[in-house]
Amino acid sequence: MLRLRNAGYKITPPRRAVIEVVLREGEHLDPNEILQQAQAIYPHTGRATVYRTLELLTTLGIVRPIYVGEHGPTYIRAEGGHHHLVCSLCGAVTDFDQCVADSMERELEARFGFQIRSHLLEFYGYCARCRQTQPEIAAN
Amino acid sequence: MLRLRNAGYKITPPRRAVIEVVLREGEHLDPNEILQQAQAIYPHTGRATVYRTLELLTTLGIVRPIYVGEHGPTYIRAEGGHHHLVCSLCGAVTDFDQCVADSMERELEARFGFQIRSHLLEFYGYCARCRQTQPEIAAN
DNA sequence: TAATCAATTGAGAATTTGTCTCAATTGATC
DNA sequence: GATCAATTGAGACAAATTCTCAATTGATTA
Ligand SMILES: [Mn+2]
Ligand SMILES: [Mn+2]
Ligand SMILES: [Zn+2]
Ligand SMILES: [Zn+2]
């Protein structure tokens, strides 16, 4: 909200709604779900505006699209870090906490002149359940 | 290739083509680009087959979709790790080498019964160039 | 508070992506 | 070389995303 205003963008009802929805804790929502939930808050919200707002928020580093599991992109808050264990078979995503990435930020910023705002650390493999049900694949 | 055969799948010309294209070093290609390049190798390659092959390769943990920059999903080889610095403004992706993620694998595997095959570590923020050209946004 | 105006919006059309179907083909095994 | 389930591609279909443009509105100013 403040970030938006500071960057010179207007605060409008549909933008408020989209932001509220996407920043709700623990959500990994696709654009359609975001549209639905935003309309529950501000009924007039249009589809195009949802896409436009997601793009804007991404640009401002407030949300981030992640592509995981079978289908389309999903959006999560960018702030801080996200740490996922992703199953390549069933697409299940498990969050975990402790993360060792912050220790690298300073050096990367110095080396590349990059200003880091957040990160995403994902491990890919096979979840406990898929290892049981489909050992042939997990094995090889 | 061996992974495919071991998992009981046939080795076919379009599959070969898609694999060759996606595994080419440094490529982050979307399905359409993959189709184009695969057709340069094996002209008959069809769109549906590209999608089917990408899904299969993802399932086998050979490639991984990532969602970076403005538009749709992009595919990269999964093997080992990928380490990206992603600019939220211009979408530029810079690779870097040293990574501290491997040190976490053992513990996560033990804790979640998960079999880890690879990882993706991405830092988001603003690249040196965008910090210069659009200080208003990078600032706030 | 009222006027101003560039930014923003939403409906629907248009386009782009991704999925499905099914008859024809083919890789692997024998 | 014969066999057969797996795979393929064309094109229909469906879903996701972007575009267009007239109408509206948030923020700033008088
Ligand atoms: Mn998460
Ligand atoms: Mn890369
Ligand atoms: Zn699983
Ligand atoms: Zn940049």
Side-chain angles (χ1 to χ4, degrees):
Chain A
M1 293 288 310
L2 311 176
R3 305 273 298 281
L4 264 198
R5 180 171 275 126
N6 290 339
Y9 295 97
K10 293 182 181 175
I11 308 282
T12 68
R15 280 179 177 167
R16 280 174 184 289
V18 169
I19 293 172
E20 174 174 339
V21 167
V22 181
L23 296 190
R24 279 206 270 253
E25 195 56 46
E27 304 278 23
H28 293 203
L29 302 169
D30 67 37
N32 218 50
E33 294 169 323
I34 292 169
L35 172 61
Q36 309 275 307
Q37 297 194 26
Q39 287 179 330
I41 297 173
Y42 177 68
H44 272 291
T45 309
R47 202 180 4 188
T49 298
V50 167
Y51 282 100
R52 289 186 285 229
T53 302
L54 289 172
E55 182 183 345
L56 174 60
L57 295 177
T58 298
T59 266
L60 294 177
I62 295 172
V63 307
R64 158 198 343 313
I66 65 176
Y67 209 90
V68 124
E70 309 306 328
H71 311 292
T74 258
Y75 288 79
I76 58 180
R77 61 139 43 80
E79 185 196 325
H82 269 264
H83 316 108
H84 296 154
L85 240 31
V86 181
C87 179
S88 300
L89 275 177
C90 69
V93 178
T94 304
D95 291 84
F96 62 92
D97 287 331
Q98 82 290 155
C99 180
V100 84
D102 309 276
S103 64
M104 305 177 61
E105 295 194 2
R106 287 249 172 281
E107 191 199 330
L108 288 169
E109 292 192 322
R111 178 136 65 98
F112 294 97
F114 203 93
Q115 178 185 359
I116 292 174
R117 304 292 287 265
S118 63
H119 68 261
L120 173 68
L121 173 58
E122 298 189 323
F123 288 95
Y124 295 83
Y126 302 109
C127 74
R129 186 148 55 84
C130 286
R131 292 176 71 183
Q132 289 233 320
T133 61
Q134 302 165 72
E136 336 74 68
I137 295 182
N140 94 22
Chain B
M1 293 291 307
L2 311 176
R3 306 272 298 281
L4 264 198
R5 182 170 274 126
N6 290 339
Y9 295 98
K10 293 182 181 174
I11 308 282
T12 68
R15 281 180 176 167
R16 280 176 184 288
V18 169
I19 293 172
E20 174 173 340
V21 167
V22 180
L23 296 191
R24 278 207 272 253
E25 196 56 45
E27 303 278 22
H28 294 201
L29 302 170
D30 69 35
N32 220 47
E33 295 169 323
I34 292 168
L35 172 62
Q36 310 274 308
Q37 297 194 25
Q39 288 179 330
I41 297 173
Y42 177 68
H44 271 290
T45 310
R47 194 168 16 150
T49 299
V50 168
Y51 281 99
R52 290 186 285 228
T53 302
L54 289 173
E55 182 184 344
L56 175 60
L57 295 176
T58 298
T59 266
L60 293 177
I62 295 172
V63 306
R64 159 198 340 318
I66 65 177
Y67 208 91
V68 124
E70 309 305 325
H71 311 294
T74 259
Y75 288 79
I76 58 179
R77 61 139 44 79
E79 185 195 325
H82 268 264
H83 316 108
H84 296 154
L85 240 32
V86 182
C87 179
S88 301
L89 275 178
C90 69
V93 178
T94 303
D95 290 84
F96 63 90
D97 285 332
Q98 83 288 156
C99 179
V100 85
D102 309 277
S103 64
M104 306 178 60
E105 296 195 1
R106 287 249 172 281
E107 190 199 331
L108 288 169
E109 291 192 323
R111 178 135 66 97
F112 294 96
F114 204 94
Q115 178 185 357
I116 292 174
R117 305 291 288 263
S118 64
H119 67 261
L120 172 68
L121 172 58
E122 299 190 322
F123 289 95
Y124 296 84
Y126 301 109
C127 73
R129 186 148 56 84
C130 286
R131 292 175 73 182
Q132 289 233 321
T133 60
Q134 301 165 74
E136 337 74 68
I137 294 182
N140 95 21

